[in-house]
Amino acid sequence: MSIFNIVNLLGGLGLFLFGMNYMSEGINQVAGSKMKDLLEKLTRNKFKGFLLGLFVTCIIQSSSATTVMCMGFLNAGIMDLAQATGVILGAHIGTTITAVLIAIDVSAISTLCIFIGACLVLFAKKPTKVYVGEIILGFGILFFGLKYMSGDQAMGVLKTNAAFKHFITTANNPIIGLVVGTLMCAVLQSSSACIGVLQVLALQGLMPMNFAIYLIIGVNVGSAMPLFLSSIGAKTGARRAAIVYFVFDVVGMLIFTPIALLTPYTSWITSLTANGSVQVAIGHIIFKVVTALVLLPFVNQIVAFASRVIPAREHESNLRFMYIDTKLSDNTSIAAQVEQEVTRMINAVRQNFVDSCEAFLTKDVSKAPQIREREELIDWLNENITNFMITINARPLPNESAAYVGRLFHVLIDLERIGDHAVNILEKTETTINDHLDFSDYSSEEFRALYDNVIILFDESVKSLRKDKIFEEEKKGLLNLRNFIRDLNEDALDNHIERLREHKCHTESGVIFTKLLQDLERTGDHAYNISKAGRDDRVLMNNRYIS
């Protein structure tokens, strides 16, 4: 086999891999968010999860992609490992759709698909049509690459290669087949691509089934390699999902290797059809289906095994992501992961504001260490979530996810500022205690009234942020509450000035109280800004960046 033939073979393989990846990207843009919603909502039952994993993978044509999606949902707390396991088992079957398409040989329309897809990608105005064009173009390139690989300038020359023919006719060692198949998939990082290569060889009469079956088993074992690589340094849930995927393939190997060795299994497959490509597809499909059906009743045991292999990790520091996994590249779960981390930041900010205000009202600063510790977490989350969102902003995210992540940039700024005002309130409270400063009952009541309304505005703003759409009366209600807080602040300030004139409070206390009112009012402004980030008609306020 000459260098020219090898280059042609690699070129055809490159087209195949590129086409598969390009098509998957287009599918993810068109249907990724819908697939995500399905996975989120319909995985409570392991059998439904199994069918859903099968369906989703049939659409996106990658069991690894579906499993990575599950890893993201595990990190975001949307599903647990038992639910993910059912999906992963179904995904294994769904990935056989590529082998079916290759077996029925649709390569004849590949060039037409390339033309149609290229026209849509280059000339379509609407993004959806461009993504559909990517799917069609990827499909055409995939099968054109497959057709090119099977041509006389690539694999066809192997028919006359004496060394290769001798190896194939004498190859009956299952260990060699398993090792070669595993390494092949570990290198190509795609079981569908490896099975496609085997189908091309079988179609040329260069891959007898009695040897191909071991390569098929090896390819399936090697398909876990991309997931292991993506789970290195990842969170516990993602690493356990990779173990579940690997368990499937190892169990399949333990089932089918003895069957292929000790029974006329391969003879039975060859008796079904003389088409070598179809034979490989049948062997691949049976491996996936039988293994999945065997393992489905044992989901809980698989989960327990994965949990023992990957125990929960002890973390010394709270300054870490609990839901975002920077090691995973799945785009469909990114918004969910970011949302969970932002929710964590929201809870910390709210708790700090409540504790600081209660400290002033009760003159008890015993929670000061916890407040400052949470403030450190708030600052850490603000910086690191922002950096993460800047990183993912360059990715081709689904439109809904991109819009949501974009809105959160402003929310993080407002949350961090509210956290700063909470610490300001704590520090002023500590000053009043250390300097033995007193406040009148009127001052405490005015502070309480402002504090109560600000926390209501904060909670309602967070609710509106999480809604897809809020009604006009809700918008007016939030605006009215923000204005009411400003009126309360003005009244409290006027009353305070009057008390100073009448010498009912000390000047030192008066300065502190004025600054406390300012912190409360600005907290209300930032809380209102959060509500505006969730609206369709969000407009930047003049005081958005007020400190």
Side-chain angles (χ1 to χ4, degrees), residues 324-340:
I324 290 174
D325 196 333
T326 57
K327 300 294 182 181
L328 292 181
S329 60
D330 171 52
N331 290 334
T332 56
S333 63
I334 281 177
Q337 292 181 36
V338 171
E339 182 179 13
Q340 290 290 75

PDB file of all heavy atoms in Angstrom, residues 324-340:
ATOM      1  N   ILE A 324     -20.903  24.245  38.378  1.00  0.00           N
ATOM      2  CA  ILE A 324     -20.208  24.429  37.105  1.00  0.00           C
ATOM      3  C   ILE A 324     -19.022  23.479  37.044  1.00  0.00           C
ATOM      4  O   ILE A 324     -18.253  23.375  37.997  1.00  0.00           O
ATOM      5  CB  ILE A 324     -19.722  25.882  36.947  1.00  0.00           C
ATOM      6  CG1 ILE A 324     -20.911  26.823  36.734  1.00  0.00           C
ATOM      7  CG2 ILE A 324     -18.741  26.006  35.782  1.00  0.00           C
ATOM      8  CD1 ILE A 324     -20.538  28.295  36.709  1.00  0.00           C
ATOM      9  N   ASP A 325     -18.903  22.778  35.915  1.00  0.00           N
ATOM     10  CA  ASP A 325     -17.754  21.897  35.687  1.00  0.00           C
ATOM     11  C   ASP A 325     -16.992  22.433  34.477  1.00  0.00           C
ATOM     12  O   ASP A 325     -17.417  22.283  33.341  1.00  0.00           O
ATOM     13  CB  ASP A 325     -18.210  20.459  35.438  1.00  0.00           C
ATOM     14  CG  ASP A 325     -17.073  19.461  35.589  1.00  0.00           C
ATOM     15  OD1 ASP A 325     -15.914  19.872  35.375  1.00  0.00           O
ATOM     16  OD2 ASP A 325     -17.321  18.302  35.921  1.00  0.00           O
ATOM     17  N   THR A 326     -15.870  23.073  34.739  1.00  0.00           N
ATOM     18  CA  THR A 326     -15.104  23.695  33.662  1.00  0.00           C
ATOM     19  C   THR A 326     -14.443  22.675  32.752  1.00  0.00           C
ATOM     20  O   THR A 326     -13.951  23.026  31.675  1.00  0.00           O
ATOM     21  CB  THR A 326     -14.013  24.613  34.240  1.00  0.00           C
ATOM     22  OG1 THR A 326     -13.167  23.838  35.112  1.00  0.00           O
ATOM     23  CG2 THR A 326     -14.634  25.746  35.043  1.00  0.00           C
ATOM     24  N   LYS A 327     -14.422  21.392  33.157  1.00  0.00           N
ATOM     25  CA  LYS A 327     -13.770  20.366  32.348  1.00  0.00           C
ATOM     26  C   LYS A 327     -14.678  19.823  31.261  1.00  0.00           C
ATOM     27  O   LYS A 327     -14.223  19.193  30.311  1.00  0.00           O
ATOM     28  CB  LYS A 327     -13.321  19.195  33.239  1.00  0.00           C
ATOM     29  CG  LYS A 327     -12.335  19.588  34.333  1.00  0.00           C
ATOM     30  CD  LYS A 327     -11.015  20.043  33.763  1.00  0.00           C
ATOM     31  CE  LYS A 327     -10.029  20.390  34.865  1.00  0.00           C
ATOM     32  NZ  LYS A 327      -8.748  20.863  34.333  1.00  0.00           N
ATOM     33  N   LEU A 328     -15.993  20.036  31.403  1.00  0.00           N
ATOM     34  CA  LEU A 328     -16.939  19.499  30.424  1.00  0.00           C
ATOM     35  C   LEU A 328     -17.173  20.513  29.320  1.00  0.00           C
ATOM     36  O   LEU A 328     -17.219  21.715  29.553  1.00  0.00           O
ATOM     37  CB  LEU A 328     -18.271  19.153  31.094  1.00  0.00           C
ATOM     38  CG  LEU A 328     -18.235  17.980  32.078  1.00  0.00           C
ATOM     39  CD1 LEU A 328     -19.621  17.744  32.638  1.00  0.00           C
ATOM     40  CD2 LEU A 328     -17.711  16.720  31.425  1.00  0.00           C
ATOM     41  N   SER A 329     -17.339  19.998  28.108  1.00  0.00           N
ATOM     42  CA  SER A 329     -17.518  20.877  26.948  1.00  0.00           C
ATOM     43  C   SER A 329     -18.957  20.908  26.447  1.00  0.00           C
ATOM     44  O   SER A 329     -19.237  21.540  25.444  1.00  0.00           O
ATOM     45  CB  SER A 329     -16.600  20.416  25.798  1.00  0.00           C
ATOM     46  OG  SER A 329     -16.908  19.086  25.420  1.00  0.00           O
ATOM     47  N   ASP A 330     -19.864  20.215  27.133  1.00  0.00           N
ATOM     48  CA  ASP A 330     -21.251  20.179  26.673  1.00  0.00           C
ATOM     49  C   ASP A 330     -21.899  21.555  26.814  1.00  0.00           C
ATOM     50  O   ASP A 330     -21.860  22.168  27.878  1.00  0.00           O
ATOM     51  CB  ASP A 330     -22.040  19.152  27.492  1.00  0.00           C
ATOM     52  CG  ASP A 330     -23.526  19.208  27.217  1.00  0.00           C
ATOM     53  OD1 ASP A 330     -23.897  19.142  26.036  1.00  0.00           O
ATOM     54  OD2 ASP A 330     -24.298  19.314  28.176  1.00  0.00           O
ATOM     55  N   ASN A 331     -22.509  22.059  25.736  1.00  0.00           N
ATOM     56  CA  ASN A 331     -23.081  23.396  25.739  1.00  0.00           C
ATOM     57  C   ASN A 331     -24.515  23.438  26.249  1.00  0.00           C
ATOM     58  O   ASN A 331     -24.985  24.476  26.689  1.00  0.00           O
ATOM     59  CB  ASN A 331     -23.039  23.988  24.328  1.00  0.00           C
ATOM     60  CG  ASN A 331     -21.629  24.305  23.890  1.00  0.00           C
ATOM     61  OD1 ASN A 331     -20.760  24.551  24.712  1.00  0.00           O
ATOM     62  ND2 ASN A 331     -21.393  24.293  22.592  1.00  0.00           N
ATOM     63  N   THR A 332     -25.233  22.306  26.174  1.00  0.00           N
ATOM     64  CA  THR A 332     -26.657  22.338  26.490  1.00  0.00           C
ATOM     65  C   THR A 332     -26.929  22.482  27.975  1.00  0.00           C
ATOM     66  O   THR A 332     -27.972  22.978  28.364  1.00  0.00           O
ATOM     67  CB  THR A 332     -27.346  21.047  25.982  1.00  0.00           C
ATOM     68  OG1 THR A 332     -26.680  19.914  26.549  1.00  0.00           O
ATOM     69  CG2 THR A 332     -27.303  20.973  24.486  1.00  0.00           C
ATOM     70  N   SER A 333     -26.010  22.052  28.833  1.00  0.00           N
ATOM     71  CA  SER A 333     -26.229  22.138  30.275  1.00  0.00           C
ATOM     72  C   SER A 333     -25.533  23.321  30.912  1.00  0.00           C
ATOM     73  O   SER A 333     -25.626  23.518  32.118  1.00  0.00           O
ATOM     74  CB  SER A 333     -25.754  20.843  30.950  1.00  0.00           C
ATOM     75  OG  SER A 333     -24.359  20.668  30.766  1.00  0.00           O
ATOM     76  N   ILE A 334     -24.831  24.124  30.126  1.00  0.00           N
ATOM     77  CA  ILE A 334     -24.064  25.241  30.689  1.00  0.00           C
ATOM     78  C   ILE A 334     -24.978  26.228  31.405  1.00  0.00           C
ATOM     79  O   ILE A 334     -24.693  26.658  32.524  1.00  0.00           O
ATOM     80  CB  ILE A 334     -23.252  25.937  29.582  1.00  0.00           C
ATOM     81  CG1 ILE A 334     -21.991  25.123  29.276  1.00  0.00           C
ATOM     82  CG2 ILE A 334     -22.853  27.350  29.992  1.00  0.00           C
ATOM     83  CD1 ILE A 334     -21.149  25.679  28.161  1.00  0.00           C
ATOM     84  N   ALA A 335     -26.100  26.607  30.764  1.00  0.00           N
ATOM     85  CA  ALA A 335     -27.001  27.586  31.375  1.00  0.00           C
ATOM     86  C   ALA A 335     -27.526  27.081  32.706  1.00  0.00           C
ATOM     87  O   ALA A 335     -27.624  27.842  33.681  1.00  0.00           O
ATOM     88  CB  ALA A 335     -28.165  27.895  30.426  1.00  0.00           C
ATOM     89  N   ALA A 336     -27.854  25.772  32.777  1.00  0.00           N
ATOM     90  CA  ALA A 336     -28.362  25.199  34.027  1.00  0.00           C
ATOM     91  C   ALA A 336     -27.292  25.246  35.119  1.00  0.00           C
ATOM     92  O   ALA A 336     -27.587  25.550  36.281  1.00  0.00           O
ATOM     93  CB  ALA A 336     -28.820  23.759  33.791  1.00  0.00           C
ATOM     94  N   GLN A 337     -26.044  24.945  34.751  1.00  0.00           N
ATOM     95  CA  GLN A 337     -24.968  24.971  35.731  1.00  0.00           C
ATOM     96  C   GLN A 337     -24.720  26.389  36.233  1.00  0.00           C
ATOM     97  O   GLN A 337     -24.563  26.614  37.442  1.00  0.00           O
ATOM     98  CB  GLN A 337     -23.689  24.411  35.105  1.00  0.00           C
ATOM     99  CG  GLN A 337     -23.753  22.925  34.789  1.00  0.00           C
ATOM    100  CD  GLN A 337     -22.454  22.410  34.186  1.00  0.00           C
ATOM    101  OE1 GLN A 337     -21.383  22.833  34.552  1.00  0.00           O
ATOM    102  NE2 GLN A 337     -22.559  21.491  33.248  1.00  0.00           N
ATOM    103  N   VAL A 338     -24.680  27.346  35.311  1.00  0.00           N
ATOM    104  CA  VAL A 338     -24.464  28.745  35.694  1.00  0.00           C
ATOM    105  C   VAL A 338     -25.605  29.220  36.588  1.00  0.00           C
ATOM    106  O   VAL A 338     -25.383  29.903  37.596  1.00  0.00           O
ATOM    107  CB  VAL A 338     -24.335  29.641  34.445  1.00  0.00           C
ATOM    108  CG1 VAL A 338     -24.335  31.120  34.834  1.00  0.00           C
ATOM    109  CG2 VAL A 338     -23.066  29.301  33.670  1.00  0.00           C
ATOM    110  N   GLU A 339     -26.835  28.839  36.228  1.00  0.00           N
ATOM    111  CA  GLU A 339     -27.999  29.262  37.023  1.00  0.00           C
ATOM    112  C   GLU A 339     -27.894  28.762  38.459  1.00  0.00           C
ATOM    113  O   GLU A 339     -28.205  29.490  39.409  1.00  0.00           O
ATOM    114  CB  GLU A 339     -29.288  28.740  36.379  1.00  0.00           C
ATOM    115  CG  GLU A 339     -30.541  29.170  37.127  1.00  0.00           C
ATOM    116  CD  GLU A 339     -31.816  28.664  36.476  1.00  0.00           C
ATOM    117  OE1 GLU A 339     -31.726  27.790  35.600  1.00  0.00           O
ATOM    118  OE2 GLU A 339     -32.881  29.157  36.847  1.00  0.00           O
ATOM    119  N   GLN A 340     -27.433  27.523  38.641  1.00  0.00           N
ATOM    120  CA  GLN A 340     -27.300  26.974  39.989  1.00  0.00           C
ATOM    121  C   GLN A 340     -26.254  27.729  40.791  1.00  0.00           C
ATOM    122  O   GLN A 340     -26.431  27.975  41.986  1.00  0.00           O
ATOM    123  CB  GLN A 340     -26.927  25.487  39.895  1.00  0.00           C
ATOM    124  CG  GLN A 340     -28.047  24.589  39.382  1.00  0.00           C
ATOM    125  CD  GLN A 340     -29.173  24.436  40.371  1.00  0.00           C
ATOM    126  OE1 GLN A 340     -29.986  25.339  40.568  1.00  0.00           O
ATOM    127  NE2 GLN A 340     -29.229  23.296  41.038  1.00  0.00           N
TER     128      GLN A 340
END
